[in-house]
Amino acid sequence: MIAAVHLDNFLFLLFVAVAIFFQLLTRVATKTGRRPDGDEKRRSTTPPQTPRPTTGQAETDEDRIRKFLEALGQPTASKPPPPVAPRPTYQEPIVLPPVEPRPVRRSIRSPLPPLKTRPPEVPAFRVHEGPPPLATMTEAEVAAALQPASSQPISKPTEARIDIVSMLKTTSGLRDAIILREIFGPPRSLQPLDLVGNV
């Protein structure tokens, strides 16, 4: 790991050194290219330009198009394209006289037959009888009900013994045990990291 970090640093420094080297090469090349004899060689290789007309007359569109086509390499004897006709700027829209709408008579007809009967009248409310009154208790019954629970014998419910080993041997029993642990166990945020599992 440490060797990879050092290799990355070395490669970065190497790229910086190569960039600086290329900058030096371009500076040296531009200094040598600015000699006066180099400028003369460059000027002699450029094609001669056609002189512009010195007269005060404005060039026509045909002359400009001909020169443009010559610059593109078209033969001078070729006929220039015809001039473009100007587009009309505005056409007045045709306005038609307003038309009055015709009245349309429609009769709305229901697809259902007309209603000839009335629904039966429902009374506004009904009176219901309340629950029957409670039976009165005697004082002896009340005293017996209020006796402390310690004086009454406690019957132990039969405990169902669960054999955990036999339950964990089956897949359904193991699934039930995992579900019960998720339900009754501590919340996920309070479990240690090794018990949470790899998600």
Side-chain angles (χ1 to χ4, degrees):
M1 170 102 179
I2 294 173
V5 172
H6 291 299
L7 182 62
D8 288 342
N9 289 340
F10 177 72
L11 287 176
F12 176 74
L13 293 175
L14 182 67
F15 285 133
V16 169
V18 168
I20 291 172
F21 179 71
F22 278 120
Q23 280 186 349
L24 290 175
L25 284 179
T26 54
R27 285 183 189 167
V28 169
T30 55
K31 286 181 182 178
T32 58
R34 291 184 185 172
R35 292 183 188 165
D37 57 349
D39 288 341
E40 291 173 5
K41 290 179 184 176
R42 286 185 183 172
R43 287 182 188 164
S44 63
T45 57
T46 58
Q49 295 181 352
T50 57
R52 291 190 174 204
T54 56
T55 61
Q57 299 174 355
E59 293 183 23
T60 63
D61 287 337
E62 291 180 5
D63 292 337
R64 281 187 273 162
I65 291 172
R66 182 180 49 78
K67 288 180 181 179
F68 178 70
L69 291 176
E70 286 176 3
L72 290 177
Q74 296 288 333
T76 57
S78 65
K79 191 176 184 182
V84 178
R87 292 183 181 176
T89 55
Y90 176 73
Q91 288 183 353
E92 191 171 328
I94 301 171
V95 179
L96 298 175
V99 179
E100 294 181 12
R102 294 185 312 185
V104 178
R105 291 185 64 186
R106 292 185 184 173
S107 61
I108 301 174
R109 294 186 180 180
S110 174
L112 301 174
L115 183 63
K116 295 181 180 177
T117 61
R118 287 179 53 189
E121 292 185 16
V122 180
F125 61 91
R126 289 186 181 174
V127 178
H128 296 285
E129 293 183 14
L134 296 174
T136 57
M137 296 177 66
T138 62
E139 290 182 19
E141 292 174 351
V142 172
L146 294 177
Q147 284 182 355
S150 62
S151 64
Q152 295 177 355
I154 299 174
S155 62
K156 290 187 177 181
T158 58
E159 295 182 9
R161 295 272 176 170
I162 300 174
D163 188 16
I164 295 177
V165 175
S166 63
M167 186 178 90
L168 294 178
K169 284 183 180 178
T170 62
T171 56
S172 62
L174 186 60
R175 185 183 321 118
D176 292 341
I178 291 172
I179 291 172
L180 288 174
R181 179 184 176 275
E182 288 294 322
I183 293 172
F184 296 114
R188 286 273 181 152
S189 61
L190 296 178
Q191 293 178 4
L193 290 177
D194 58 344
L195 293 179
V196 172
N198 297 336
V199 181

